[in-house]
Structures are given as structure tokens and as C-alpha cells.
Amino acid sequence: MTSKKIRIVVQAGHVDPREPGFESGTGTAHEQDLARAVRSRLVALLLKDGRFDVVECGGRTPDPRPFKCDAFISLHGDGSGDASASGYCYGYPPGDPSERLARDLSVCYERIPGHPPHRKDNYTRALAGYYGFSARRISADRKVLVEHGFLTNPGEREWLLSHLGDIAAAHYRGICKHFGKRAVALSPKPKPKPKPKPAPKRVDVEFAGRTVNVRQRADNPALLRRIARAILRGLTVVVRPSTRRAP
């Protein structure tokens, strides 16, 4: 019996097509690029895993509404007039299990070296009350908005845009962790079996018309020294590939 796949909606915030009534919400500079890039990488990992049914969308949540899924994850980047503002955080409807999913995502995000600091989750009303969380649009027990960091902070922006694969992998691990799954899409490829070494060549060696060495390894140091001494003494040495079978 095939087990039911876990349905995940992955939204790239502010990306076309946008939600009616929110068409002017294009996000901060570079936010759409970040959201789109992380979404494509995360979706690829979830599909490679094979245990997830993945639906990707832009700012407009998918139809039919309310769209039923097991988890809704919306990807964003923060912005501020203060170029020193820094940190990542999550927005979610208060309570379990959305808060637990945010916590699992955070645990994996913080394994990336150099990650931004963790700001307080739901630090604005807009985070906890994100329009995409509306029960009229999404029917899910788990709804999380990810603010990856501040794109208006030059150093943080550089870090975010240079760690797109790491960020997507962290989200994938967090999702697997939350649903009690092993992150199989990130398992290292099995090492190829070493190719068997070819058997050493065997030769028959004839000294002065008399076959002396039979089925000797062609790279045998003692045999090579004996051949060299025989040649120095003026003896005729003939080396032939051995046609005799091993005993």
C-alpha cells in the first residue's frame, strides 16, 4: 500500500502573479530574486525526495480556495531604512503546530555557518497576520513565513545570495525533521566500487635458448635484474608473453 504524500505549498513572496489587492507589494530590493531562487532549489529537493507533493506559487496562493495542504511555507527577505538592521525570523499564526515547524526550520537554518542572528519571531503584526495565512486562502495546520535576513544590509545580502543552496537544504531538512522523515535527498551518493586491478602480465624468459623462467611477473624486480646481468654477459635473452595457464 502506497503511503499518502505530504503536500507542501512553497510560496515565493511578492513574485508574480500577486494576490488581488496586493499587486503593489513588490517587496524590498532583491527580495523577489532571493525568494524565487530559494523556492526553485527547495522544490527540487522535495521532489527528489519523492515523499512530498509540492505546489509552488508566487504571491497569489493557489486555487481552488481554500487550498488544502499539510504545510504552507512563504519565502521572503526583510528590509529596513537602517542598513545595519540584521537577522532572520519567522511569522506564523500563534500556537502549535506552526510554531513547531518554525522551530524545526530554525534549528536547521542555524547550522549554516555565518547565518544571520535570530530576531524575535512575529515581531510585527504583519508577520503573524500575513494575508497568505487566511483560512479563506490556505487550509493547513502549519503556516510559516520565512524572513531570511535583511537584504538592505549589504553584508547580510551578500551572505544570503551566496548561500542559496545551503538555505534551501536547511529548509528541506527542517521540513523532514518536522514530519519525522530522514532527509534522503541530501544523502551522499554511494562511492563507486573500485575497479579490480588487472592481473599482472606473465612472461616466459629464455636465456641462451633455454627457457628458465616460466609465468613470471613482468615487473618482478629479481627477474629484471637477472635479465640485465645476462645481457651484460652477452647472453641472448628472449622474453615472450606466457601462454601457459596457471597451475
Side-chain angles (χ1 to χ4, degrees):
M1 182 177 178
T2 306
S3 58
K4 181 182 176 182
K5 291 187 176 183
I6 300 166
R7 175 173 276 192
I8 308 289
V9 173
V10 183
Q11 181 188 57
H14 304 289
V15 171
D16 281 331
R18 301 188 186 94
E19 189 72 22
F22 296 87
E23 292 91 348
S24 62
T26 56
T28 195
H30 305 288
E31 183 173 5
Q32 291 187 39
D33 296 333
L34 172 70
R36 193 184 288 109
V38 174
R39 180 186 65 180
S40 66
R41 288 163 173 77
L42 174 56
V43 167
L45 287 170
L46 292 167
L47 291 175
K48 180 181 177 182
D49 183 294
R51 296 169 297 183
F52 296 94
D53 175 20
V54 189
V55 178
E56 53 184 309
C57 66
R60 177 182 169 83
T61 54
D63 292 318
R65 300 187 175 194
F67 192 82
K68 295 182 179 180
C69 57
D70 296 293
F72 171 76
I73 298 175
S74 185
L75 307 172
H76 293 257
D78 224 332
S80 171
D82 178 2
S84 66
S86 174
Y88 78 93
C89 70
Y90 301 97
Y92 45 81
D96 251 5
S98 294
E99 187 174 351
R100 281 194 297 112
L101 176 56
R103 189 164 59 244
D104 290 334
L105 291 171
S106 179
V107 166
C108 296
Y109 194 65
E110 294 208 343
R111 291 176 184 165
I112 309 175
H115 65 82
H118 192 169
R119 292 169 66 90
K120 182 180 179 182
D121 292 342
N122 284 340
Y123 76 94
T124 67
R125 188 175 297 177
L127 283 170
Y130 178 58
Y131 74 81
F133 296 159
S134 168
R136 292 183 292 107
R137 296 184 175 93
I138 293 290
S139 174
D141 292 332
R142 305 160 183 85
K143 303 173 185 179
V144 175
L145 182 151
V146 185
E147 291 283 13
H148 293 92
F150 277 79
L151 290 159
T152 47
N153 179 317
E156 201 151 283
R157 179 176 64 246
E158 182 181 357
W159 184 90
L160 290 168
L161 297 179
S162 63
H163 287 79
L164 298 170
D166 295 329
I167 292 169
H171 293 339
Y172 167 66
R173 288 189 181 96
I175 292 168
C176 289
K177 174 179 171 63
H178 182 79
F179 287 101
K181 307 292 184 182
R182 192 168 65 88
V184 295
L186 295 172
S187 299
K189 294 181 180 179
K191 293 182 179 180
K193 293 182 179 179
K195 294 181 180 179
K197 293 181 179 180
K201 293 182 178 179
R202 300 282 177 168
V203 294
D204 296 338
V205 184
E206 182 181 293
F207 292 95
R210 180 165 169 262
T211 301
V212 175
N213 293 84
V214 179
R215 279 194 55 78
Q216 295 294 306
R217 286 179 53 150
D219 59 351
N220 185 332
L223 177 62
L224 295 174
R225 287 194 297 271
R226 184 173 183 183
I227 292 172
R229 287 196 299 268
I231 293 173
L232 289 173
R233 290 165 53 196
L235 298 178
T236 302
V237 180
V238 179
V239 180
R240 299 187 183 89
S242 182
T243 56
R244 306 190 187 192
R245 292 184 178 183

